[in-house]
Amino acid sequence: MATFLSFSFFLFLSVSVSVSATPHTTFIVRVQHDAKPSLFPTHRHWYQSSLTALSDHSHPLSSRIIHTYHTVFHGFSAQLSALEASKLQSSYGVLSVIPEQVRHLHTTRSPQFLGLKTSDTSGLLKESDFGSDLVIGVLDTGIWPERQSFNDKGLGPVPGKWQGACVVSTNFPATSCNRKLIGAKYFSAGYEATNGKMNETLEHRSPRDSDGHGTHTASIAAGRYVFPASTLGYARGVAAGMAPKARLAAYKVCWNAGCFDSDILAAFDSAVSDGVDVISLSVGGVVVPYYLDAIAIGAYGASDHGVFVSASAGNGGPGGLTVTNIAPWVTTVGAGAIDRDFPADVKLGNGKLIPGVSVYGGPALAHHRLYPLIYAGNEGGDGYSASLCLEGSLNPKSVKGKIVLCDRGINSRAAKGEVVKKAGGIGMILANGVFDGEGLVADCHVLPATSVGASSGDEIRRYIMSASKSTSPPEATIIFKGTRINVRPAPVVASFSARGPNPESPEILKPDVIAPGLNILAAWPDKVGPSGLASDKRKTEFNILSGTSMACPHVSGLAALLKAAHPEWSPAAIKSALITTAYTLDNRGETMIDESTGNSSTVMDYGAGHVHPQKAMDPGLIYDISSYDYVDFLCNSNYTTKNIQVITRKHADCSGAKRAGHSGNLNIPSMTAVFQQYGKGKMSTHFIRSVTNVGEAKSVYEVRIKAARGMEVRVEPRKLVFRRVGQKLNFLVRVKVEEVKLAAGSGVTKSGWIEWWDGKHNVASPVVVTMQEPV
């Protein structure tokens, strides 16, 4: 997707401002709700009056307001000039002016892999009645309502609390909604304010999905049971979402040019007002301070209203500091692999078999013969463009009738296959770059193709080079092996999954958890081919995609199940249950592997670990958080009272918060400290935590400590004695470390755990220490 320069601004206005210039840029204006003068009957009238002085004849007042916001915060978005923005920024009553981000998407067997079995007579699905009265709001590219994943057979009436609507629009009649898909809206005003009127031959001016991403994520969260399900014959079986009876509300905020903050914020506002219980958001952008982040602000408003917000961690891995959507009131989800893959191996002319993966359902290459093999980067012209198989870079004379090795990067993986096919190639091998490592993603290709790791790509290039100099020219074939299950090891941390540490708040461990996000089967629209390419006219009811986009709705659906089983739990309590019951060992009993390297993964890769739904239903203890605790956290993060008010709508007195401790004392399960060494020798800190008993009335928990080498962890008291359900008890964790030798500007991270154990529940919290040597 192209990136467009656009600005949105959050402002608190207590006075009208008179400036004039031609408007051409989007701003989001945040106002103090209680500042509306009594002479105006509604906030909108007040907003219009405030803009009257800014209006000119070339751009009438009526077109300046884009959205008005009433729930997660109060205000409006409008088109103003840069000059007007500058004057507003320096005006009395204005708290913040925020450049708008354009966000982008973070692009069957997983319920079984997670232990959610319909045949169980007890457990999370049974206890929650499959999430039947909970509503999940999915902010994405819309939905394809005719999919069987969204049928309402056997569902009861729409929950009485629901205040939302099914917006009747082009190609989206009222019958598109039912007792399953109970709401559908679209938000395009912000998108069109920047990009002009949408091309309705390419996009639907309605909640209908013309991309596929939203349909896929919605069915992961709450798709009904559908059998048979497969993609081009792969992953055959029963497809189901995490909360099969939960109700869905689709909020279309993403378009061909991206997902614009003003529209995302309008969807947050609408979803909370409509009555959703969970918001699922598989989009993200660059990390900025929370008071400049529309998603963080919208998510805080949702959380403040009791709505759980799950967001994807991003696909910028395997490098560090790549995680996005990092606000502590958001549950940030990374991606793992389940125990299923789709092997498609390369057989070289020298007899070597190179492992790969693919989802290709067309006529396959013959296994018993070999085909000419070339590396696109060796074929003259612009070697770099050709190596990546970019549009127009391949010479048909060199490619025709051959298998082509392409490097990963720049254009989409499926698009590379289309380039090879148009140039006359008969197959493609897609090789990871060094940064991608050995992580493999199975794609629905338009020609026989497979993906191989970085080291395998190097091996194939060496073979091509040596064979080209011999009497036996390079040859290969691709052997498609279908679907393989019960793969070991699993789970593994997906190579693309974004990693910590948290760029904005290093004392808040992110991602929080990982969930299935690699090669996930879910619903797909009719009008989009499985490769996502415009030229792909194949139809499939289901498609296999990978990304933290797919991991996020797994957690959204699980949150709905947990909320259904425990209606009294806050968003923080649900998040705590998912974190403290997560696991870090794979199906071999060893620490989960980092797919990109083949080595053991760390807390910066997986956070607390991989979600374990059945255990999360009965976590024993939870770490709860109020909205005012987040205010204290922001105070201790050195945010100004003005910045805090932009995020929380609350007037903050930070004197008490700063006396009480530091930002690491936010009552989350994980405990993370960052030390600047400065030759100190020994360094220490402490964490204060409070846990609430949600298990048995009379229970005694004893602490177990697992500290890394060179790290001392003490917990006081070492025993927590509860007499009733709902009782809260505090404890103190002291952490000491000794200075280690580091080069200037470098750092090292050590991690351990504390676990509260009552003989039944194991309540685990990561304890993470990073030591840095200043430059």
Side-chain angles (χ1 to χ4, degrees), residues 201-219:
T201 64
L202 300 176
E203 300 188 84
H204 300 287
R205 186 181 292 280
S206 78
R208 186 170 291 280
D209 185 5
S210 58
D211 177 274
H213 192 274
T215 300
H216 203 267
T217 55
S219 68

Side-chain angles (χ1 to χ4, degrees), residues 144-204:
W144 196 266
E146 292 80 12
R147 289 284 77 111
Q148 278 302 301
S149 295
F150 311 127
N151 81 76
D152 65 354
K153 184 178 180 181
L155 290 181
V158 172
K161 65 176 183 177
W162 180 246
Q163 300 295 314
C166 187
V167 175
V168 176
S169 42
T170 308
N171 297 319
F172 208 90
T175 53
S176 297
C177 291
N178 55 22
R179 290 170 300 176
K180 175 66 175 178
L181 178 62
I182 62 173
K185 297 181 178 180
Y186 68 96
F187 301 85
S188 61
Y191 160 54
E192 292 185 290
T194 297
N195 297 281
K197 191 174 180 180
M198 75 173 68
N199 182 345
E200 295 188 44
T201 64
L202 300 176
E203 300 188 84
H204 300 287

Side-chain angles (χ1 to χ4, degrees), residues 465-622:
M465 187 175 294
S466 63
S468 298
K469 297 174 182 177
S470 71
T471 56
S472 301
E475 294 179 312
T477 191
I478 302 172
I479 303 171
F480 299 96
K481 296 182 175 179
T483 304
R484 183 174 61 166
I485 60 173
N486 298 316
V487 171
R488 296 165 69 92
V492 303
V493 180
S495 178
F496 57 77
S497 186
R499 316 298 168 96
N502 185 328
E504 173 63 12
S505 301
E507 66 280 10
I508 303 296
L509 183 63
K510 292 286 181 174
D512 291 300
V513 290
I514 65 170
L518 186 68
N519 302 331
I520 303 300
L521 179 82
W524 195 247
D526 268 343
K527 298 292 177 69
V528 185
S531 68
L533 300 172
S535 62
D536 186 358
K537 303 304 180 185
R538 294 174 294 180
K539 286 187 178 183
T540 180
E541 188 174 349
F542 295 89
N543 200 6
I544 294 169
L545 297 185
S546 298
T548 56
S549 280
M550 285 64 250
C552 166
H554 277 90
V555 167
S556 306
L558 295 178
L561 295 178
L562 291 171
K563 183 72 173 177
H566 302 283
E568 73 283 3
W569 281 9
S570 68
I574 295 170
K575 178 179 176 180
S576 171
L578 290 166
I579 287 175
T580 62
T581 58
Y583 61 92
T584 60
L585 301 181
D586 61 27
N587 54 7
R588 306 169 305 167
E590 300 178 21
T591 299
M592 286 187 291
I593 293 295
D594 177 349
E595 186 190 36
S596 68
T597 63
N599 299 325
S600 294
S601 54
T602 72
V603 289
M604 293 302 171
D605 305 325
Y606 53 66
H610 193 285
V611 291
H612 193 307
Q614 299 290 15
K615 286 188 176 179
M617 186 184 72
D618 182 21
L621 305 176
I622 56 169

Side-chain angles (χ1 to χ4, degrees), residues 63-376:
S63 65
R64 311 225 15 206
I65 292 181
I66 298 169
H67 293 295
T68 58
Y69 310 108
H70 310 282
T71 306
V72 295
F73 72 89
H74 298 278
F76 62 98
S77 52
Q79 285 203 300
L80 305 170
S81 70
L83 175 62
E84 290 168 340
S86 176
K87 290 185 177 181
L88 280 172
Q89 190 167 23
S90 59
S91 298
Y92 173 78
V94 173
L95 290 182
S96 184
V97 180
I98 306 172
E100 180 177 61
Q101 287 193 58
V102 183
R103 314 287 178 145
H104 296 287
L105 302 164
H106 286 154
T107 272
T108 64
R109 184 171 169 79
S110 53
Q112 184 177 349
F113 181 69
L114 290 169
L116 297 175
K117 299 176 183 176
T118 59
S119 57
D120 289 348
T121 55
S122 62
L124 185 53
L125 282 174
K126 184 73 173 177
E127 293 291 326
S128 64
D129 189 25
F130 301 79
S132 63
D133 284 330
L134 275 290
V135 184
I136 302 174
V138 180
L139 278 57
D140 213 296
T141 65
I143 197 162
W144 196 266
E146 292 80 12
R147 289 284 77 111
Q148 278 302 301
S149 295
F150 311 127
N151 81 76
D152 65 354
K153 184 178 180 181
L155 290 181
V158 172
K161 65 176 183 177
W162 180 246
Q163 300 295 314
C166 187
V167 175
V168 176
S169 42
T170 308
N171 297 319
F172 208 90
T175 53
S176 297
C177 291
N178 55 22
R179 290 170 300 176
K180 175 66 175 178
L181 178 62
I182 62 173
K185 297 181 178 180
Y186 68 96
F187 301 85
S188 61
Y191 160 54
E192 292 185 290
T194 297
N195 297 281
K197 191 174 180 180
M198 75 173 68
N199 182 345
E200 295 188 44
T201 64
L202 300 176
E203 300 188 84
H204 300 287
R205 186 181 292 280
S206 78
R208 186 170 291 280
D209 185 5
S210 58
D211 177 274
H213 192 274
T215 300
H216 203 267
T217 55
S219 68
I220 291 171
R224 305 300 304 275
Y225 292 97
V226 181
F227 178 83
S230 71
T231 298
L232 308 178
Y234 288 80
R236 291 184 185 276
V238 178
M242 295 296 98
K245 287 188 180 179
R247 315 307 172 107
L248 278 168
Y251 298 86
K252 185 176 179 179
V253 297
C254 295
W255 306 85
N256 283 354
C259 323
F260 288 74
D261 275 354
S262 53
D263 293 332
I264 292 172
L265 210 46
F268 264 110
D269 205 56
S270 181
V272 174
S273 178
D274 291 344
V276 303
D277 300 286
V278 172
I279 288 176
S280 187
L281 184 71
S282 290
V283 304
V286 299
V287 172
V288 293
Y290 306 127
Y291 60 88
L292 299 176
D293 186 343
I295 288 178
I297 293 168
Y300 179 90
S303 175
D304 198 33
H305 282 80
V307 176
F308 179 94
V309 180
S310 173
S312 48
N315 297 335
L321 286 167
T322 51
V323 65
T324 67
N325 294 322
I326 41 74
W329 45 85
V330 172
T331 299
T332 310
V333 189
I338 62 174
D339 61 344
R340 178 184 67 197
D341 66 8
F342 310 105
D345 300 339
V346 178
K347 183 179 180 181
L348 298 176
N350 60 7
K352 283 275 186 76
L353 209 62
I354 307 293
V357 298
S358 179
V359 176
Y360 173 69
L365 300 177
H367 293 182
H368 61 275
R369 61 165 291 197
L370 298 175
Y371 302 85
L373 172 67
I374 63 169
Y375 172 46

Side-chain angles (χ1 to χ4, degrees), residues 373-390 393-395 398-399 402-408 416 419-420 428-431 457 460-462 464-465 468:
L373 172 67
I374 63 169
Y375 172 46
N378 292 342
E379 298 305 311
D382 180 355
Y384 177 69
S385 295
S387 70
L388 294 166
C389 296
L390 302 182
S393 67
L394 300 183
N395 182 351
S398 303
V399 170
K402 297 173 182 174
I403 296 175
V404 181
L405 176 67
C406 301
D407 293 336
R408 186 170 164 183
K416 295 176 189 293
V419 170
V420 171
M428 178 183 69
I429 302 168
L430 180 57
I460 295 171
R461 287 187 205 92
R462 287 193 297 270
I464 292 172
M465 187 175 294
S468 298

